[in-house]
Amino acid sequence: MTEEIKLEKIHDYLWEIPKSGGMRVPGRVYASEEMLKVIRQDKSLEQVVNVAHLPGIQKYSIAMPDIHWGYGFPIGGIAAVDIEEGVISPGGVGYDINCGVRLMRTNLVEEEVRPKLRELVTELFHRIPSGVGIGGKIKLSQKDYKEIIRKGANWAIEQGWGEKEDLNRIEDHGTFPGGDLEAISNKALERGKDEIGTLGSGNHFLEVDIVDQIYNPAMADAFGLFKDQVCVLIHCGSRGFGHQICTDYIDKMLSYMRREGINLPDKQLACAHIKSKEGQDYLSAFAAAVNYAWTNRQIIMNFCREAFYRVFQIGPKDLGGQLVYDVSHNIAKFEEHKVNGKTKKVCVHRKGATRALPKGHPLIPEIYKDVGQPVFIPGDMGRFSFVLVGTEATLDETFGSCCHGAGRMLSRNKALKMGKGRNLFAELEEKGIIVMARGKKTVAEEMPEAYKEAEDVCDIVHNAGIAKKVARLRPIGVIKG
C-alpha cells in the first residue's frame, strides 16, 4: 500500500497525502524526493494515513523526515487533537514515555579530553548501568515514587543529583502535572523500582561529543557552545516503568473502543476520548512516567558530571558541566495553537518528534526567550549529531514540532545480518570513537548504516524552515546498553 499512496508536492521539502476514505484530515510529510525513496521502503506512510482517521484530529497528520515504521503511529509522527472531541492514544506517545535527549556542555576542549578518553568512557560505563532490565544502585520506595510522580526532576535535585539551575533548562521545568499512583499497576511499579539512573538498551546511549562546526555563531553563543568544546548527549526515557504503563493502557483502550464503537484502520491506534475515564486514567499514569523519565535523565547527567570530576581531578567550576536543554520526544502536551485562524487548546501527540518553539514563545525558558528553543537531532554512534533552534514556521505548520533523530533505515534483524563477522568496535575506534556496550548485539543493531544520515534529515527541516541549524557535534566516546 505504501507504494500506492499518492503524494502531492507542496514544495521541495513538503508533500501532502490528500484526504480520502475515512481520513478526517490530509497527511503531510517533510522529506526530499530522495528521502521519500527510503521512506517508501516501510509502511510508515500507511501509518500517516491511519493516524488521519483519529477522532478530533486537527489540520494534518504530520510526519518528519526521520519517519519510520512504529507502533500505530509512525516514529517521527505528530497529531494534534481537539480536547473536547478528540482522543488520546498510547501508541501516539510510544512505549518509552518521555524518551528524550539532553545536552550537557563543559568548559573542556578535545585536546584536554582525548588523552584520557578511554579512562573517561570506562568510568561512564561503570557509573551508569545500561542494558535490558538492568537495575541501578537506587531503589525506590513507595514514598520515593509518590515524590517523583509529583515533582519529577526536582526530586532528583532535592536528593543531591544536580543543581536547581538545571530545572530552568528542562521542558516544563522537569515536572508534568496530574500524576497519580492509583492509576499505575503494581507490575509497572515493580519494573521501575530499581531502574532510575540507568540508561536502558536499544537506541539509548550516552555520547561524548565535540562541537565540530558552528553554523550560527550568535545562536551557538546563546546556548553556550563553542568550537572544539566537549559536550555530552544523553538519550533515554522512562525504562520498564513507562513501557508497562503503555502496555496496560493499550489493553484498556481496546476495550473502550469496542464499547464506544470507535473503528480505526489499525488496532495499534488504540485510544480513548480525552475526557473519558479511560483517557483521564491514562493521562494520570502517563504523567507519572513523564516525571520518571525526567528524573532518570537528571540522575544520569549527575553521574556523568561525577565521572568527569574523578577522571580529570577537577571540580564543578572547572568542568562547567551545565545542562543546555532537555527535550522530550515521546510525549503528549496540552498546548494552544492556531487552527483555522482561531487559537484553541489541543493535545499534541509527538511520537519521535520534539517541540521546536520560536523565540518569544511563553513555553520556553526565560534564558532562551530571545533566541528560541534548542532542538537536538542525534545521529548514530559513528556520525554527526546536530543542534538547531525552533522557528516561527513551526507554529504555523507543525504545531511547534520538529524531528527527533536520524531515523532507522534498516530493521534490527537486517542490521544484525549486515554486522555479522565485523568488529564494529574496532571499526569505530579507527575513526577515533571509543564504544563500550554490554554486548556486541546492540552495537550491531545500532550500527551507523542502520540509520539515515542525520545531516540529510537535518538539512530537510532546515531548508523547510521549521528549525535552523546552529552547530554540529562529532562523537568520540559512546556507551550503549
Side-chain angles (χ1 to χ4, degrees), residues 298-367:
Q298 179 64 36
I299 293 171
I300 288 174
M301 185 178 77
N302 208 60
F303 288 165
C304 181
R305 285 167 170 159
E306 290 169 356
F308 273 90
Y309 298 154
R310 198 207 68 74
V311 171
F312 296 98
Q313 294 295 296
I314 56 176
K317 189 175 177 185
D318 289 330
L319 176 64
Q322 189 167 43
L323 180 60
V324 176
Y325 199 58
D326 180 306
V327 295
S328 304
H329 59 221
N330 273 11
I331 203 157
K333 290 280 183 76
F334 293 92
E335 298 170 1
E336 288 189 341
H337 289 279
K338 278 195 174 175
V339 179
N340 299 326
K342 292 182 179 176
T343 300
K344 69 184 293 185
K345 198 169 188 180
V346 292
C347 177
V348 185
H349 295 66
R350 296 189 179 97
K351 164 82 168 285
T354 72
R355 268 202 317 211
L357 300 172
K359 65 180 179 181
H361 195 282
L363 292 179
I364 57 177
E366 201 59 38
I367 48 170

Side-chain angles (χ1 to χ4, degrees), residues 221-443:
D221 190 53
F223 295 161
L225 301 177
F226 56 88
K227 185 101 171 29
D228 297 327
Q229 180 183 23
V230 173
C231 294
V232 177
L233 266 179
I234 299 166
H235 174 218
C236 62
S238 51
R239 307 284 280 113
F241 182 62
H243 192 282
Q244 188 60 46
I245 286 171
C246 183
T247 302
D248 294 340
Y249 278 90
I250 283 172
D251 287 344
K252 291 179 183 179
M253 290 189 178
L254 284 171
S255 299
Y256 176 86
M257 287 172 66
R258 283 192 292 272
R259 194 179 76 228
E260 298 297 319
I262 299 175
N263 294 308
L264 292 170
D266 183 356
K267 70 176 184 179
Q268 292 184 358
L269 292 173
C271 59
H273 288 101
I274 290 169
K275 296 217 160 173
S276 68
K277 182 179 185 310
E278 286 83 353
Q280 290 296 304
D281 285 350
Y282 169 72
L283 285 168
S284 297
F286 153 88
V290 169
N291 285 326
Y292 185 104
W294 275 327
T295 308
N296 191 31
R297 291 197 287 277
Q298 179 64 36
I299 293 171
I300 288 174
M301 185 178 77
N302 208 60
F303 288 165
C304 181
R305 285 167 170 159
E306 290 169 356
F308 273 90
Y309 298 154
R310 198 207 68 74
V311 171
F312 296 98
Q313 294 295 296
I314 56 176
K317 189 175 177 185
D318 289 330
L319 176 64
Q322 189 167 43
L323 180 60
V324 176
Y325 199 58
D326 180 306
V327 295
S328 304
H329 59 221
N330 273 11
I331 203 157
K333 290 280 183 76
F334 293 92
E335 298 170 1
E336 288 189 341
H337 289 279
K338 278 195 174 175
V339 179
N340 299 326
K342 292 182 179 176
T343 300
K344 69 184 293 185
K345 198 169 188 180
V346 292
C347 177
V348 185
H349 295 66
R350 296 189 179 97
K351 164 82 168 285
T354 72
R355 268 202 317 211
L357 300 172
K359 65 180 179 181
H361 195 282
L363 292 179
I364 57 177
E366 201 59 38
I367 48 170
Y368 297 134
K369 275 281 166 61
D370 294 334
V371 287
Q373 182 202 303
V375 174
F376 307 133
I377 302 182
D380 52 73
M381 58 186 155
R383 295 179 291 189
F384 301 114
S385 296
F386 294 85
V387 178
L388 297 88
V389 66
T391 69
E392 194 69 34
T394 63
L395 294 181
D396 295 332
E397 298 186 26
T398 63
F399 297 100
S401 311
C402 189
C403 58
H404 86 308
R408 281 199 84 90
M409 197 162 63
L410 297 180
S411 69
R412 288 189 163 85
N413 281 337
K414 283 184 181 173
L416 280 174
K417 284 180 185 172
M418 188 180 279
K420 198 171 182 182
R422 289 169 57 181
N423 185 340
L424 289 160
F425 293 91
E427 287 180 24
L428 288 162
E429 193 152 341
E430 278 180 16
K431 295 179 179 177
I433 306 163
I434 294 175
V435 178
M436 292 189 186
R438 291 187 63 82
K440 293 179 183 176
K441 185 182 172 193
T442 301
V443 176

